[in-house]
Amino acid sequence: MEERLQKYLASCGVASRRACEELIKAGRVKVNGKTVTELGTKVQIGVDKVSVDGKEVSQEEDYVYLMLNKPEGYVTTASDPQGRPTVFDLITDIPQRLFSIGRLDVDTEGLLLLTNDGELAYRLTHPKFSVSKVYHALVTGKPSEDKLNRLRNGVQLDDGPTKPCKVKVLRRFNHKTLLEITISEGRNRQVRRMCQAINNPIIHLERVKIENVELKDVKRGHYRKLTIEELLPLMNKVQLGANLAKMMLEEEN
Ligand code: URA
């Protein structure tokens, strides 16, 4: 069977498909000993020998899907030039090399999905699938209904207007308000910039849900594997449900 190189690398758990494209462009990938920088290159699965940074990759690894309750102060990248702790420092007993599905800012807490399934990571972060993410945002002041409607309808950010989203007031305090904001985009620091745009900057931000997957039964700084009941609707959302059914059958046999 033939596969495009970046898709094959992602299916080997190297990184998400987009990150694999960068590895190829950076000249870090070889096919049968020759460096390949062309993105569309096809490889014959099981025939061609593919390596990244000199290390051969293959599709044999078991897939892992985790939810982590990210604490403040941890970065979502594999390493940090400033030496801050990374979310991967919290993962202690998983032998597979994982990457995060999307990112949370260093000062954001809550639900982060981690996997070695590059195809799932690629699809869950692709705008075409409009994956919903729910945030609890504690903002300064008491945003008026008019301002909340501006958030709902879309505010102008320096990289363009935001798409319509859901905003609910969960609780009003004296000088702060707890909002529930559901977005289906994933732009850099989006929720913070949206709240800044209505002049109610964020004091604390936590992600509590991605599609059907809720941050439940996991303490801050801890993680657990997703259940099949959580994984199946998530995979169906990005049209990978058939892949999961196949994996489960293979496990049974
Ligand atoms: N929006 C933000 O502003 N920060 C995050 O970490 C996630 C979404």
Side-chain angles (χ1 to χ4, degrees):
M1 196 181 119
E2 258 191 2
E3 189 70 273
R4 287 166 76 216
L5 184 54
Q6 58 268 41
K7 204 167 168 195
Y8 174 71
L9 287 171
S11 74
C12 295
V14 171
S16 73
R17 212 198 299 176
R18 210 169 291 129
C20 289
E21 290 177 358
E22 296 305 318
L23 290 175
I24 296 168
K25 284 197 248 166
R28 292 169 59 184
V29 179
K30 285 187 176 157
V31 178
N32 301 322
K34 278 208 186 104
T35 302
V36 171
T37 50
E38 193 74 25
L39 285 185
T41 306
K42 297 262 173 69
V43 288
Q44 292 278 351
I45 298 176
V47 178
D48 289 322
K49 298 236 175 299
V50 179
S51 63
V52 179
D53 294 335
K55 195 170 159 234
E56 197 167 317
V57 299
S58 72
Q59 283 181 325
E60 276 152 32
E61 257 187 338
D62 285 341
Y63 284 134
V64 184
Y65 307 94
L66 302 180
M67 72 156 72
L68 168 80
N69 188 340
K70 178 191 171 303
E72 223 177 299
Y74 283 74
V75 295
T76 319
T77 44
S79 66
D80 182 51
Q82 294 176 46
R84 292 170 294 188
T86 91
V87 291
F88 302 99
D89 297 335
L90 298 166
I91 313 291
T92 49
D93 59 354
I94 305 287
Q96 287 91 339
R97 196 157 64 110
L98 302 180
F99 39 87
S100 69
I101 302 182
R103 287 186 184 176
L104 288 178
D105 303 332
V106 65
D107 36 3
T108 302
E109 303 196 293
L111 177 60
L112 187 67
L113 299 178
L114 300 158
T115 187
N116 57 346
D117 181 341
E119 187 61 24
L120 180 69
Y122 173 77
R123 292 186 183 213
L124 283 176
T125 50
H126 197 292
K128 139 172 138 183
F129 291 104
S130 292
V131 169
S132 71
K133 282 144 304 213
V134 183
Y135 294 87
H136 285 176
L138 184 66
V139 299
T140 54
K142 295 180 175 182
S144 61
E145 201 49 34
D146 184 45
K147 279 184 169 187
L148 295 178
N149 282 335
R150 278 177 56 207
L151 276 187
R152 289 181 183 116
N153 296 332
V155 284
Q156 188 64 41
L157 301 180
D158 44 14
D159 54 354
T162 57
K163 290 208 180 115
C165 69
K166 289 191 198 144
V167 180
K168 265 200 301 203
V169 175
L170 292 183
R171 220 174 143 182
R172 288 195 190 271
F173 303 93
N174 270 348
H175 304 289
K176 306 176 221 180
T177 308
L178 184 62
L179 300 177
E180 183 175 275
I181 302 179
T182 306
I183 58 171
S184 52
E185 301 174 273
R187 283 144 69 175
N188 190 29
R189 293 180 80 80
Q190 180 167 345
V191 180
R192 287 175 199 279
R193 291 191 290 141
M194 286 166 67
C195 294
Q196 188 70 54
I198 57 158
N199 273 323
N200 294 96
I202 282 188
I203 301 166
H204 182 258
L205 185 61
E206 177 179 21
R207 182 156 67 191
V208 294
K209 197 171 174 190
I210 298 174
E211 279 297 321
N212 57 296
V213 179
E214 274 183 82
L215 188 60
K216 271 195 309 211
D217 318 320
V218 185
K219 289 195 196 126
R220 202 73 87 208
H222 290 247
Y223 60 93
R224 68 163 169 82
K225 288 191 176 166
L226 294 189
T227 63
I228 289 294
E229 290 73 23
E230 288 167 328
L231 199 49
L232 196 52
L234 195 62
M235 290 229 173
N236 276 333
K237 168 75 188 173
V238 294
Q239 293 161 22
L240 285 175
N243 286 23
L244 183 65
K246 192 168 145 249
M247 268 154 52
M248 284 161 65
L249 263 180
E250 280 168 4
E251 241 170 57
E252 268 173 30
N253 296 328

